[in-house]
mmCIF file of all heavy atoms in Angstrom:
data_model
loop_
_atom_site.group_PDB
_atom_site.id
_atom_site.type_symbol
_atom_site.label_atom_id
_atom_site.label_comp_id
_atom_site.label_asym_id
_atom_site.label_seq_id
_atom_site.Cartn_x
_atom_site.Cartn_y
_atom_site.Cartn_z
ATOM 1 N N ARG B 418 243.717 130.700 -18.354
ATOM 2 C CA ARG B 418 243.283 132.067 -18.030
ATOM 3 C C ARG B 418 242.745 132.770 -19.264
ATOM 4 O O ARG B 418 241.692 133.431 -19.208
ATOM 5 C CB ARG B 418 244.457 132.849 -17.440
ATOM 6 C CG ARG B 418 244.114 134.312 -17.112
ATOM 7 C CD ARG B 418 245.367 135.116 -16.810
ATOM 8 N NE ARG B 418 246.263 135.166 -17.948
ATOM 9 C CZ ARG B 418 246.108 135.948 -19.005
ATOM 10 N NH1 ARG B 418 245.033 136.730 -19.109
ATOM 11 N NH2 ARG B 418 246.978 135.930 -19.992
ATOM 12 N N ARG B 419 243.451 132.621 -20.383
ATOM 13 C CA ARG B 419 242.989 133.272 -21.617
ATOM 14 C C ARG B 419 241.666 132.675 -22.080
ATOM 15 O O ARG B 419 240.797 133.389 -22.592
ATOM 16 C CB ARG B 419 244.056 133.136 -22.708
ATOM 17 C CG ARG B 419 245.322 133.933 -22.431
ATOM 18 C CD ARG B 419 246.176 134.077 -23.679
ATOM 19 N NE ARG B 419 246.586 132.794 -24.224
ATOM 20 C CZ ARG B 419 247.693 132.142 -23.866
ATOM 21 N NH1 ARG B 419 248.505 132.681 -22.952
ATOM 22 N NH2 ARG B 419 248.006 130.988 -24.408
ATOM 23 N N ALA B 420 241.512 131.362 -21.901
ATOM 24 C CA ALA B 420 240.259 130.719 -22.299
ATOM 25 C C ALA B 420 239.102 131.204 -21.437
ATOM 26 O O ALA B 420 237.990 131.424 -21.931
ATOM 27 C CB ALA B 420 240.397 129.203 -22.194
ATOM 28 N N ILE B 421 239.363 131.388 -20.144
ATOM 29 C CA ILE B 421 238.329 131.903 -19.249
ATOM 30 C C ILE B 421 237.929 133.313 -19.671
ATOM 31 O O ILE B 421 236.750 133.666 -19.731
ATOM 32 C CB ILE B 421 238.830 131.901 -17.787
ATOM 33 C CG1 ILE B 421 238.929 130.463 -17.267
ATOM 34 C CG2 ILE B 421 237.904 132.723 -16.894
ATOM 35 C CD1 ILE B 421 239.533 130.352 -15.887
ATOM 36 N N THR B 422 238.929 134.121 -19.991
ATOM 37 C CA THR B 422 238.671 135.500 -20.395
ATOM 38 C C THR B 422 237.828 135.564 -21.660
ATOM 39 O O THR B 422 236.978 136.452 -21.820
ATOM 40 C CB THR B 422 240.001 136.248 -20.626
ATOM 41 O OG1 THR B 422 240.779 136.187 -19.425
ATOM 42 C CG2 THR B 422 239.764 137.698 -20.986
ATOM 43 N N ASN B 423 238.031 134.607 -22.561
ATOM 44 C CA ASN B 423 237.328 134.616 -23.851
ATOM 45 C C ASN B 423 236.084 133.731 -23.869
ATOM 46 O O ASN B 423 235.510 133.508 -24.923
ATOM 47 C CB ASN B 423 238.283 134.148 -24.963
ATOM 48 C CG ASN B 423 239.390 135.150 -25.208
ATOM 49 O OD1 ASN B 423 239.174 136.346 -25.128
ATOM 50 N ND2 ASN B 423 240.589 134.652 -25.489
ATOM 51 N N TRP B 424 235.702 133.222 -22.702
ATOM 52 C CA TRP B 424 234.544 132.326 -22.643
ATOM 53 C C TRP B 424 233.305 133.043 -23.178
ATOM 54 O O TRP B 424 233.024 134.174 -22.837
ATOM 55 C CB TRP B 424 234.306 131.879 -21.210
ATOM 56 C CG TRP B 424 233.069 131.076 -20.978
ATOM 57 C CD1 TRP B 424 231.988 131.444 -20.243
ATOM 58 C CD2 TRP B 424 232.782 129.767 -21.444
ATOM 59 N NE1 TRP B 424 231.045 130.458 -20.225
ATOM 60 C CE2 TRP B 424 231.511 129.407 -20.951
ATOM 61 C CE3 TRP B 424 233.467 128.855 -22.249
ATOM 62 C CZ2 TRP B 424 230.913 128.176 -21.224
ATOM 63 C CZ3 TRP B 424 232.872 127.631 -22.520
ATOM 64 C CH2 TRP B 424 231.621 127.302 -22.017
ATOM 65 N N GLY B 425 232.596 132.333 -24.037
ATOM 66 C CA GLY B 425 231.413 132.917 -24.654
ATOM 67 C C GLY B 425 231.696 133.447 -26.046
ATOM 68 O O GLY B 425 230.788 133.702 -26.806
ATOM 69 N N ARG B 426 233.001 133.594 -26.386
ATOM 70 C CA ARG B 426 233.353 134.062 -27.731
ATOM 71 C C ARG B 426 233.734 132.879 -28.619
ATOM 72 O O ARG B 426 233.163 132.663 -29.665
ATOM 73 C CB ARG B 426 234.516 135.056 -27.651
ATOM 74 C CG ARG B 426 234.207 136.285 -26.797
ATOM 75 C CD ARG B 426 235.440 137.171 -26.679
ATOM 76 N NE ARG B 426 235.276 138.204 -25.664
ATOM 77 C CZ ARG B 426 236.241 138.999 -25.256
ATOM 78 N NH1 ARG B 426 237.446 138.906 -25.784
ATOM 79 N NH2 ARG B 426 236.021 139.902 -24.322
ATOM 80 N N ASP B 427 234.720 132.102 -28.132
ATOM 81 C CA ASP B 427 235.127 130.964 -28.953
ATOM 82 C C ASP B 427 235.048 129.634 -28.195
ATOM 83 O O ASP B 427 235.382 128.589 -28.733
ATOM 84 C CB ASP B 427 236.557 131.162 -29.484
ATOM 85 C CG ASP B 427 237.530 131.531 -28.373
ATOM 86 O OD1 ASP B 427 237.228 131.250 -27.201
ATOM 87 O OD2 ASP B 427 238.591 132.082 -28.698
ATOM 88 N N SER B 428 234.611 129.675 -26.921
ATOM 89 C CA SER B 428 234.352 128.458 -26.126
ATOM 90 C C SER B 428 235.559 127.541 -25.992
ATOM 91 O O SER B 428 235.406 126.335 -25.846
ATOM 92 C CB SER B 428 233.164 127.669 -26.730
ATOM 93 O OG SER B 428 231.997 128.454 -26.751
ATOM 94 N N LYS B 429 236.782 128.078 -26.027
ATOM 95 C CA LYS B 429 237.972 127.238 -25.859
ATOM 96 C C LYS B 429 238.077 126.656 -24.452
ATOM 97 O O LYS B 429 238.818 125.707 -24.230
ATOM 98 C CB LYS B 429 239.222 128.054 -26.186
ATOM 99 C CG LYS B 429 239.396 128.345 -27.670
ATOM 100 C CD LYS B 429 240.700 129.083 -27.935
ATOM 101 C CE LYS B 429 240.872 129.350 -29.426
ATOM 102 N NZ LYS B 429 242.117 130.100 -29.712
ATOM 103 N N LEU B 430 237.348 127.230 -23.517
ATOM 104 C CA LEU B 430 237.405 126.733 -22.151
ATOM 105 C C LEU B 430 237.051 125.255 -22.073
ATOM 106 O O LEU B 430 237.643 124.493 -21.303
ATOM 107 C CB LEU B 430 236.460 127.550 -21.269
ATOM 108 C CG LEU B 430 236.381 127.164 -19.786
ATOM 109 C CD1 LEU B 430 237.755 127.212 -19.134
ATOM 110 C CD2 LEU B 430 235.413 128.078 -19.060
ATOM 111 N N LEU B 431 236.089 124.824 -22.891
ATOM 112 C CA LEU B 431 235.658 123.427 -22.845
ATOM 113 C C LEU B 431 236.757 122.465 -23.274
ATOM 114 O O LEU B 431 236.715 121.282 -22.917
ATOM 115 C CB LEU B 431 234.415 123.238 -23.727
ATOM 116 C CG LEU B 431 233.157 123.993 -23.263
ATOM 117 C CD1 LEU B 431 232.021 123.775 -24.246
ATOM 118 C CD2 LEU B 431 232.755 123.553 -21.864
ATOM 119 N N THR B 432 237.746 122.940 -24.028
ATOM 120 C CA THR B 432 238.843 122.062 -24.446
ATOM 121 C C THR B 432 239.735 121.688 -23.263
ATOM 122 O O THR B 432 240.527 120.749 -23.380
ATOM 123 C CB THR B 432 239.696 122.729 -25.539
ATOM 124 O OG1 THR B 432 240.338 123.891 -24.994
ATOM 125 C CG2 THR B 432 238.841 123.144 -26.728
ATOM 126 N N PHE B 433 239.610 122.378 -22.147
ATOM 127 C CA PHE B 433 240.415 122.071 -20.962
ATOM 128 C C PHE B 433 239.700 121.117 -20.008
ATOM 129 O O PHE B 433 240.308 120.670 -19.026
ATOM 130 C CB PHE B 433 240.759 123.360 -20.207
ATOM 131 C CG PHE B 433 241.746 124.241 -20.909
ATOM 132 C CD1 PHE B 433 241.316 125.196 -21.815
ATOM 133 C CD2 PHE B 433 243.106 124.113 -20.672
ATOM 134 C CE1 PHE B 433 242.221 126.015 -22.463
ATOM 135 C CE2 PHE B 433 244.021 124.919 -21.314
ATOM 136 C CZ PHE B 433 243.587 125.877 -22.219
ATOM 137 N N GLU B 434 238.450 120.804 -20.286
ATOM 138 C CA GLU B 434 237.671 120.013 -19.330
ATOM 139 C C GLU B 434 238.316 118.660 -19.032
ATOM 140 O O GLU B 434 238.507 118.284 -17.865
ATOM 141 C CB GLU B 434 236.246 119.808 -19.849
ATOM 142 C CG GLU B 434 235.379 119.001 -18.900
ATOM 143 C CD GLU B 434 233.934 118.920 -19.351
ATOM 144 O OE1 GLU B 434 233.631 119.367 -20.487
ATOM 145 O OE2 GLU B 434 233.104 118.422 -18.580
ATOM 146 N N LYS B 435 238.661 117.924 -20.070
ATOM 147 C CA LYS B 435 239.226 116.583 -19.868
ATOM 148 C C LYS B 435 240.556 116.648 -19.120
ATOM 149 O O LYS B 435 240.800 115.871 -18.195
ATOM 150 C CB LYS B 435 239.407 115.865 -21.203
ATOM 151 C CG LYS B 435 239.834 114.411 -21.066
ATOM 152 C CD LYS B 435 239.903 113.720 -22.407
ATOM 153 C CE LYS B 435 240.122 112.226 -22.258
ATOM 154 N NZ LYS B 435 241.315 111.895 -21.455
ATOM 155 N N LYS B 436 241.423 117.568 -19.505
ATOM 156 C CA LYS B 436 242.726 117.670 -18.859
ATOM 157 C C LYS B 436 242.585 118.040 -17.383
ATOM 158 O O LYS B 436 243.290 117.510 -16.524
ATOM 159 C CB LYS B 436 243.598 118.686 -19.587
ATOM 160 C CG LYS B 436 244.995 118.818 -18.989
ATOM 161 C CD LYS B 436 245.883 119.717 -19.825
ATOM 162 C CE LYS B 436 247.266 119.839 -19.191
ATOM 163 N NZ LYS B 436 247.933 118.532 -19.009
ATOM 164 N N LEU B 437 241.682 118.958 -17.097
ATOM 165 C CA LEU B 437 241.457 119.355 -15.714
ATOM 166 C C LEU B 437 240.937 118.191 -14.876
ATOM 167 O O LEU B 437 241.482 117.887 -13.801
ATOM 168 C CB LEU B 437 240.461 120.518 -15.656
ATOM 169 C CG LEU B 437 241.016 121.920 -15.905
ATOM 170 C CD1 LEU B 437 239.876 122.886 -16.206
ATOM 171 C CD2 LEU B 437 241.816 122.413 -14.707
ATOM 172 N N LYS B 438 239.907 117.529 -15.368
ATOM 173 C CA LYS B 438 239.308 116.442 -14.599
ATOM 174 C C LYS B 438 240.263 115.252 -14.474
ATOM 175 O O LYS B 438 240.405 114.670 -13.389
ATOM 176 C CB LYS B 438 237.994 116.014 -15.252
ATOM 177 C CG LYS B 438 236.901 117.068 -15.135
ATOM 178 C CD LYS B 438 235.603 116.604 -15.791
ATOM 179 C CE LYS B 438 234.499 117.621 -15.627
ATOM 180 N NZ LYS B 438 233.236 117.213 -16.280
ATOM 181 N N ASP B 439 240.931 114.878 -15.578
ATOM 182 C CA ASP B 439 241.879 113.765 -15.520
ATOM 183 C C ASP B 439 243.030 114.082 -14.574
ATOM 184 O O ASP B 439 243.493 113.214 -13.824
ATOM 185 C CB ASP B 439 242.436 113.458 -16.915
ATOM 186 C CG ASP B 439 241.398 112.802 -17.821
ATOM 187 O OD1 ASP B 439 240.324 112.416 -17.307
ATOM 188 O OD2 ASP B 439 241.663 112.688 -19.037
ATOM 189 N N GLY B 440 243.495 115.331 -14.605
ATOM 190 C CA GLY B 440 244.588 115.720 -13.718
ATOM 191 C C GLY B 440 244.194 115.635 -12.258
ATOM 192 O O GLY B 440 244.972 115.173 -11.419
ATOM 193 N N MET B 441 242.989 116.057 -11.928
ATOM 194 C CA MET B 441 242.529 115.997 -10.543
ATOM 195 C C MET B 441 242.324 114.552 -10.087
ATOM 196 O O MET B 441 242.692 114.190 -8.959
ATOM 197 C CB MET B 441 241.239 116.810 -10.386
ATOM 198 C CG MET B 441 241.481 118.311 -10.370
ATOM 199 S SD MET B 441 240.011 119.299 -10.054
ATOM 200 C CE MET B 441 239.339 119.438 -11.717
ATOM 201 N N LEU B 442 241.780 113.727 -10.961
ATOM 202 C CA LEU B 442 241.601 112.322 -10.610
ATOM 203 C C LEU B 442 242.950 111.639 -10.402
ATOM 204 O O LEU B 442 243.122 110.844 -9.469
ATOM 205 C CB LEU B 442 240.802 111.603 -11.705
ATOM 206 C CG LEU B 442 239.331 112.024 -11.854
ATOM 207 C CD1 LEU B 442 238.708 111.359 -13.076
ATOM 208 C CD2 LEU B 442 238.541 111.661 -10.594
ATOM 209 N N ALA B 443 243.918 111.965 -11.252
ATOM 210 C CA ALA B 443 245.259 111.381 -11.128
ATOM 211 C C ALA B 443 245.945 111.814 -9.840
ATOM 212 O O ALA B 443 246.778 111.075 -9.289
ATOM 213 C CB ALA B 443 246.113 111.778 -12.331
ATOM 214 N N ASN B 444 245.583 112.975 -9.330
ATOM 215 C CA ASN B 444 246.180 113.479 -8.087
ATOM 216 C C ASN B 444 245.378 113.080 -6.856
ATOM 217 O O ASN B 444 245.637 113.582 -5.760
ATOM 218 C CB ASN B 444 246.312 114.999 -8.151
ATOM 219 C CG ASN B 444 247.449 115.435 -9.059
ATOM 220 O OD1 ASN B 444 248.451 114.743 -9.179
ATOM 221 N ND2 ASN B 444 247.293 116.585 -9.696
ATOM 222 N N GLY B 445 244.408 112.186 -7.045
ATOM 223 C CA GLY B 445 243.699 111.624 -5.904
ATOM 224 C C GLY B 445 242.426 112.339 -5.484
ATOM 225 O O GLY B 445 241.834 112.002 -4.458
ATOM 226 N N TYR B 446 241.988 113.309 -6.276
ATOM 227 C CA TYR B 446 240.740 113.992 -5.939
ATOM 228 C C TYR B 446 239.548 113.196 -6.464
ATOM 229 O O TYR B 446 239.659 112.478 -7.466
ATOM 230 C CB TYR B 446 240.736 115.403 -6.528
ATOM 231 C CG TYR B 446 241.802 116.295 -5.948
ATOM 232 C CD1 TYR B 446 243.025 116.460 -6.594
ATOM 233 C CD2 TYR B 446 241.594 116.961 -4.743
ATOM 234 C CE1 TYR B 446 244.021 117.275 -6.052
ATOM 235 C CE2 TYR B 446 242.572 117.781 -4.207
ATOM 236 C CZ TYR B 446 243.786 117.928 -4.855
ATOM 237 O OH TYR B 446 244.767 118.732 -4.316
ATOM 238 N N SER B 447 238.421 113.333 -5.814
ATOM 239 C CA SER B 447 237.235 112.587 -6.211
ATOM 240 C C SER B 447 236.642 113.160 -7.488
ATOM 241 O O SER B 447 236.876 114.319 -7.847
ATOM 242 C CB SER B 447 236.182 112.638 -5.094
ATOM 243 O OG SER B 447 235.681 113.954 -4.944
ATOM 244 N N SER B 448 235.852 112.331 -8.157
ATOM 245 C CA SER B 448 235.180 112.807 -9.365
ATOM 246 C C SER B 448 234.199 113.917 -9.027
ATOM 247 O O SER B 448 233.995 114.851 -9.809
ATOM 248 C CB SER B 448 234.449 111.652 -10.061
ATOM 249 O OG SER B 448 233.518 111.045 -9.180
ATOM 250 N N GLU B 449 233.594 113.850 -7.828
ATOM 251 C CA GLU B 449 232.669 114.905 -7.400
ATOM 252 C C GLU B 449 233.405 116.243 -7.260
ATOM 253 O O GLU B 449 232.911 117.280 -7.696
ATOM 254 C CB GLU B 449 232.036 114.524 -6.058
ATOM 255 C CG GLU B 449 231.042 115.561 -5.538
ATOM 256 C CD GLU B 449 230.474 115.184 -4.183
ATOM 257 O OE1 GLU B 449 230.892 114.149 -3.617
ATOM 258 O OE2 GLU B 449 229.603 115.931 -3.683
ATOM 259 N N PHE B 450 234.597 116.193 -6.677
ATOM 260 C CA PHE B 450 235.390 117.410 -6.511
ATOM 261 C C PHE B 450 235.791 117.975 -7.867
ATOM 262 O O PHE B 450 235.715 119.197 -8.090
ATOM 263 C CB PHE B 450 236.640 117.113 -5.676
ATOM 264 C CG PHE B 450 237.534 118.317 -5.471
ATOM 265 C CD1 PHE B 450 237.294 119.222 -4.448
ATOM 266 C CD2 PHE B 450 238.616 118.548 -6.314
ATOM 267 C CE1 PHE B 450 238.112 120.333 -4.258
ATOM 268 C CE2 PHE B 450 239.438 119.653 -6.141
ATOM 269 C CZ PHE B 450 239.177 120.547 -5.108
ATOM 270 N N SER B 451 236.200 117.108 -8.782
ATOM 271 C CA SER B 451 236.636 117.577 -10.099
ATOM 272 C C SER B 451 235.475 118.183 -10.878
ATOM 273 O O SER B 451 235.637 119.191 -11.575
ATOM 274 C CB SER B 451 237.278 116.430 -10.894
ATOM 275 O OG SER B 451 236.341 115.422 -11.190
ATOM 276 N N GLU B 452 234.297 117.586 -10.770
ATOM 277 C CA GLU B 452 233.123 118.138 -11.440
ATOM 278 C C GLU B 452 232.761 119.507 -10.862
ATOM 279 O O GLU B 452 232.478 120.460 -11.604
ATOM 280 C CB GLU B 452 231.926 117.185 -11.287
ATOM 281 C CG GLU B 452 232.002 115.917 -12.115
ATOM 282 C CD GLU B 452 231.662 116.168 -13.583
ATOM 283 O OE1 GLU B 452 231.210 117.283 -13.920
ATOM 284 O OE2 GLU B 452 231.867 115.244 -14.384
#
């Protein structure tokens, strides 16, 4: 949430990309859904 709020200032949101996508894939969601 804090990274989303600060998006465009320090771009920390991108550091969550791998964790988000890997977590969704591990829980059975498709790569299309995670993207």
Side-chain angles (χ1 to χ4, degrees):
R418 178 192 62 78
R419 292 196 301 271
I421 289 175
T422 303
N423 292 324
W424 174 246
R426 301 176 192 172
D427 50 21
S428 301
K429 288 184 179 179
L430 180 57
L431 295 178
T432 65
F433 289 88
E434 180 174 8
K435 187 176 189 305
K436 182 174 179 57
L437 278 164
K438 291 180 178 179
D439 288 350
M441 284 185 274
L442 292 173
N444 285 328
Y446 296 96
S447 67
S448 57
E449 181 182 3
F450 179 85
S451 65
E452 287 283 351

